[in-house]
């Protein structure tokens, strides 16, 4: 789940540092690679590479990122490889000079790549679906056949992009002669917000994946982009919006609320924090309903993401909330790390139990979700080793049983611990004495209670129902073959992940 940002500043302030700061705030959405492209006097300046934001950008790189408008990206790969050549933003020189960063995953990338080659006569140098998205946009903008473009031309191009592209996408772009643009797929699967900041020179504008990035930079939220909607912010600070999809349907990804987004973000006008509190409440109600004679002594979160729901769950159960596991603050999120070996190793390094909180107690461990079972399996064992009498486990999300196709890298049902297993079987695999999952209806209620406008979500990884309605068994099978852990590891070992030519500034 990548993070995107774009800023246009109307004063003389360079935007390099602010984009860097915004990317640092959005780091939880992608830890593999980061990039910034800025523009000054029609010329682009770029730095991107694998690594965390703090490691990719050195002072010398920052000095070279000139300009008062620019875009940035943090990457968590869901297509192509982890090669630095696929770090974003991507760049094409024609037409006008365009750079683009994308959060999401295109489900017809292969067909589009063929079309780009055969019909549009454009070259792709990687297997990244984001490079496909940029080239489709570039081709459609070219079709406007203008020497100087304006916002209307961009909206026309995006209208055609929506017709050709399938899947989840929130994209931010930089067009050298124009400004910053952003657009969101017709289902609103991936989030995107717009904000503003008043200055002595006029209004600065910013687009970002999450509102928390606006807060951190002193911008205030104007609105979420609606599904299918696009925004153009010109270099001189004019802003234009337009609905570019024919049949937009609000169906944001519910997993953003469960895990991906920061709790202090507002997404589609819903407080992520409050939605997680409600998840905790509903889960507590289920425990009280179905296990009224429970013998839970203490409730513990598995840091970080489950803290909010675990706290509310404990309150509702009337049981003490204790921090039994301490998280090493220097280790990132394990779920979005590449490769199962690294993920497994990281859980141990990241979380350490405080034994005295466990000794002789029946503990209820709460996590936001159980996906591969990497975290839960190890944590249950650690709780036992720390002296717990009984170890119960609760998940604030329902069982994750189906592959996700719109921008989370869980392509293979066989890698999902709940796929093809009953709740009791999953409890056995992770070693818990009892396992309680949130019901899907309760999860939907917990999130939708925060909004009048949104009452439908993409719940595909829980329900197998895909919001776009066009996901075939053949596509799911090919995604599995292409991206399961073994396939990725084999490609990496064979050195097939590296692409030699890419638009990279010097080190
Ligand atoms: O069943 P799994 O495959 O282990 O995936 C689920 C776990 O991964 C995530 O934690 P992560 O460490 O990524 O991030 P967090 O620190 O924000 O909780 C999530 O919060 C669960 O703890
Ligand atoms: N997580 C994402 O949003 C990934 C974006 C894009 N599909 C990539 O792999 O780079
Ligand atoms: Mg976690």
């Amino acid at each position: 789940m990548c993070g995107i940002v774009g800023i246009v500043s109307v004063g003389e302030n360079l935007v390099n540092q602010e984009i860097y700061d915004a990317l640092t705030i959005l780091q939880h959405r992608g830890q593999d690679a980061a990039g910034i492209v800025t523009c000054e006097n029609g010329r682009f300046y770029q730095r991107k590479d694998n690594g965390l934001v703090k490691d990719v950008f050195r002072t010398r790189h920052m000095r070279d990122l000139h300009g008062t408008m620019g875009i940035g990206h943090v990457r968590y790969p869901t297509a192509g490889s982890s090669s630095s050549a696929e770090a974003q933003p991507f760049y094409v020189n024609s037409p006008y000079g365009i750079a683009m960063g994308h959060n999401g995953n295109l489900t017809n990338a292969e067909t589009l790549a063929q079309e780009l080659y055969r019909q549009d006569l454009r070259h792709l140098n990687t297997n990244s679906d984001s490079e496909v998205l940029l080239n489709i946009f570039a081709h459609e903008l070219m079709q406007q056949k203008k020497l100087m473009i304006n916002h209307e031309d961009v909206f026309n191009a995006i209208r055609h992009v929506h017709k050709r592209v399938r899947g989840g996408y929130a994209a931010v772009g930089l067009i050298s002669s124009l400004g910053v643009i952003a657009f969101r797929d017709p289902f609103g699967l991936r989030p995107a917000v717009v904000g503003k900041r008043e200055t002595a020179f006029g209004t600065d504008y910013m687009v970002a994946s999450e509102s928390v990035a606006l807060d951190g930079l002193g911008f205030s939220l104007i609105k979420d982009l609606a599904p299918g909607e696009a925004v153009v912010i010109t270099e001189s600070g004019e802003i234009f919006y337009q609905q570019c999809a024919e049949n937009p349907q609000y169906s944001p990804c519910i997993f953003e609320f469960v895990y991906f987004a920061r709790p202090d973000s507002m997404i589609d006008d819903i407080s992520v924090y409050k939605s997680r509190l409600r998840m905790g409440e509903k889960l507590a109600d289920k425990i009280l309903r179905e296990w009224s004679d429970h013998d839970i002594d203490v409730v513990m979160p598995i840091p970080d993401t489950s803290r909010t729901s675990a706290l509310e769950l404990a309150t509702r159960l009337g049981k003490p909330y204790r921090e039994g596991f301490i998280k090493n603050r220097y280790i990132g999120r394990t779920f979005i790390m590449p490769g199962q070996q690294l993920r497994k190793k990281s859980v141990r390094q990241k979380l350490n139990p405080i034994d005295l909180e466990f000794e002789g107690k029946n503990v209820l461990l709460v996590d936001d979700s159980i996906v591969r079972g990497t975290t839960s399996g190890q944590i249950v064992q650690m709780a036992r080793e720390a002296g717990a009498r009984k170890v119960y486990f609760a998940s604030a999300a329902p069982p994750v049983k189906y592959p996700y196709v719109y921008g989370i890298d869980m392509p293979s049902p066989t890698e999902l611990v709940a796929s093809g297993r009953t709740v009791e079987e999953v409890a056995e695999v992770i070693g818990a004495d009892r396992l309680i999952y949130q019901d899907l209806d309760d999860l939907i209620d917990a999130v939708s209670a925060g909004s009048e406008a949104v009452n439908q979500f993409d719940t595909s990884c829980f329900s197998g129902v895909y919001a776009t309605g066009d996901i075939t068994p053949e596509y799911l099978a090919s995604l599995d073959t292409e991206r399961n852990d073994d396939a990725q590891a084999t490609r990496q070992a064979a050195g097939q992940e590296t692409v030699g030519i890419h638009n990279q500034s010097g080190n």
Side-chain angles (χ1 to χ4, degrees):
M1 197 61 55
C2 305
I4 55 170
V5 58
I7 301 180
V8 175
S9 176
V10 287
E12 284 161 11
N13 269 353
L14 301 187
V15 287
N16 52 3
Q17 187 61 44
E18 296 208 305
I19 295 177
Y20 176 101
D21 293 343
L23 290 181
T24 306
I25 296 173
L26 295 174
Q27 188 78 80
H28 62 284
R29 299 183 66 83
Q31 302 169 163
D32 269 42
I36 295 178
V37 176
T38 58
C39 184
E40 185 177 65
N41 298 328
R43 183 164 281 198
F44 283 157
Y45 299 87
Q46 171 188 283
R47 165 67 185 166
K48 60 177 183 173
D49 204 352
N50 284 345
L52 297 174
V53 175
K54 69 179 173 46
D55 300 320
V56 168
F57 303 98
R58 297 284 172 203
T59 309
R60 60 183 184 280
H61 305 123
M62 296 300 286
R63 264 202 302 261
D64 289 344
L65 292 167
H66 308 286
T68 55
M69 61 178 188
I71 61 173
H73 188 267
V74 283
R75 182 175 190 225
Y76 156 54
T78 62
S81 73
S82 307
S83 158
S84 59
E86 295 184 18
Q88 302 191 34
F90 276 98
Y91 162 72
V92 288
N93 67 351
S94 173
Y96 317 110
I98 310 171
M100 187 171 278
H102 160 225
N103 168 211
N105 199 57
L106 308 190
T107 53
N108 63 340
E110 225 175 281
T111 314
L112 292 172
Q114 291 287 333
E115 286 178 17
L116 282 166
Y117 176 67
R118 289 177 201 286
Q119 299 166 22
D120 303 342
L121 309 184
R122 297 190 72 95
H123 171 70
L124 298 171
N125 206 55
T126 71
N127 293 321
S128 163
D129 60 326
S130 309
E131 193 186 11
V132 169
L133 180 64
L134 168 57
N135 276 275
I136 294 283
F137 173 71
H139 173 80
E140 297 303 337
L141 198 57
M142 183 92 108
Q143 297 313 299
Q144 306 304 308
K145 301 201 188 315
K146 294 266 185 71
L147 180 60
M148 300 294 289
I149 47 161
N150 63 22
H151 56 280
E152 289 296 346
D153 302 310
V154 173
F155 292 141
N156 282 338
I158 293 171
R159 214 165 279 134
H160 285 94
V161 168
H162 287 327
K163 286 196 179 125
R164 293 181 71 178
V165 167
R166 299 279 168 274
Y169 48 97
V172 62
L174 187 61
I175 305 178
S176 77
S177 52
L178 186 72
V180 166
I181 66 158
F183 54 94
R184 200 173 174 195
D185 67 70
F187 294 86
L189 286 158
R190 302 272 59 94
V193 292
V194 187
K196 67 174 179 182
R197 179 178 63 189
E198 301 303 338
T199 76
F201 302 95
T203 309
D204 292 346
Y205 290 103
M206 174 169 173
V207 291
S209 296
E210 291 181 35
S211 64
V212 66
L214 305 179
D215 302 343
L217 271 69
F219 283 74
S220 58
L221 178 67
I222 301 175
K223 63 178 208 148
D224 294 83
L225 278 184
E229 192 179 28
V231 61
V232 173
I233 306 158
T234 65
E235 196 166 6
S236 57
E238 288 175 294
I239 190 161
F240 305 94
Y241 299 95
Q242 197 165 112
Q243 175 53 258
C244 297
E246 274 171 8
N247 287 309
Q249 286 171 43
Y250 232 139
S251 201
C253 167
I254 208 157
F255 212 70
E256 287 280 349
F257 296 90
V258 169
Y259 168 69
F260 265 102
R262 267 186 38 168
D264 41 346
S265 278
M266 298 289 295
I267 292 188
D268 293 316
D269 219 17
I270 300 171
S271 155
V272 176
Y273 175 73
K274 281 192 172 174
S275 76
R276 288 184 189 161
L277 288 178
R278 288 189 291 264
M279 287 175 213
E281 255 172 51
K282 299 219 175 252
L283 195 51
D285 288 346
K286 180 168 175 182
I287 293 172
L288 293 170
R289 206 169 52 237
E290 297 187 356
W291 189 19
S292 51
D293 58 346
H294 71 79
D295 56 356
I296 298 163
D297 294 321
V298 60
V299 176
M300 289 179 188
I302 297 174
D304 258 335
T305 301
S306 68
R307 281 203 169 116
T308 317
S309 51
L311 178 62
E312 192 64 8
L313 187 152
T315 310
R316 192 84 155 198
L317 285 188
K319 293 291 168 188
Y321 171 86
R322 290 282 184 270
E323 303 236 1
F325 292 98
I326 299 303
K327 178 176 162 296
N328 178 335
R329 69 177 76 224
Y330 300 103
I331 297 188
R333 297 183 116 181
T334 48
F335 175 72
I336 58 173
M337 285 177 182
Q340 185 60 3
Q341 256 181 338
L342 181 61
R343 286 184 214 116
K344 226 168 159 171
K345 192 169 139 223
S346 300
V347 173
R348 281 273 172 180
Q349 290 178 344
K350 176 167 146 173
L351 297 167
N352 193 46
I354 298 181
D355 290 3
L356 59 89
E357 283 294 0
F358 291 87
E359 280 156 12
K361 291 187 191 149
N362 297 337
V363 299
L364 175 67
L365 306 179
V366 182
D367 210 346
D368 52 84
S369 57
I370 303 172
V371 183
R372 298 181 180 90
T374 322
T375 311
S376 42
Q378 294 193 61
I379 288 291
V380 169
Q381 200 184 331
M382 283 158 78
R384 288 201 196 284
E385 286 165 8
R389 192 162 42 169
K390 292 270 179 63
V391 183
Y392 305 126
F393 205 98
S395 162
V400 174
K401 287 177 179 268
Y402 303 92
Y404 193 82
V405 301
Y406 305 122
I408 307 175
D409 200 27
M410 30 198 218
S412 181
T414 52
E415 291 168 7
L416 305 172
V417 67
S419 170
R421 289 197 176 93
T422 62
V423 176
E424 290 72 25
E425 285 166 345
V426 177
E428 207 178 309
V429 174
I430 66 170
D433 293 304
R434 184 163 179 155
L435 171 62
I436 305 103
Y437 276 111
Q438 183 91 265
D439 291 335
L440 182 55
D441 286 346
D442 281 346
L443 174 63
I444 295 171
D445 285 352
V447 182
S448 64
S451 167
E452 301 267 294
V454 192
N455 47 26
Q456 195 181 311
F457 294 87
D458 178 75
T459 59
S460 51
C461 58
F462 307 118
S463 61
V465 178
Y466 293 87
T468 55
D470 56 0
I471 302 302
T472 62
E474 293 73 30
Y475 174 75
L476 292 176
S478 71
L479 188 70
D480 186 355
T481 315
E482 182 64 20
R483 289 203 64 80
N484 67 54
D485 273 338
D486 288 346
Q488 289 194 47
T490 310
R491 267 202 309 273
Q492 220 159 18
Q496 291 166 359
E497 297 264 275
T498 318
V499 182
I501 299 175
H502 52 101
N503 303 307
Q504 168 73 312
S505 58
N507 289 327

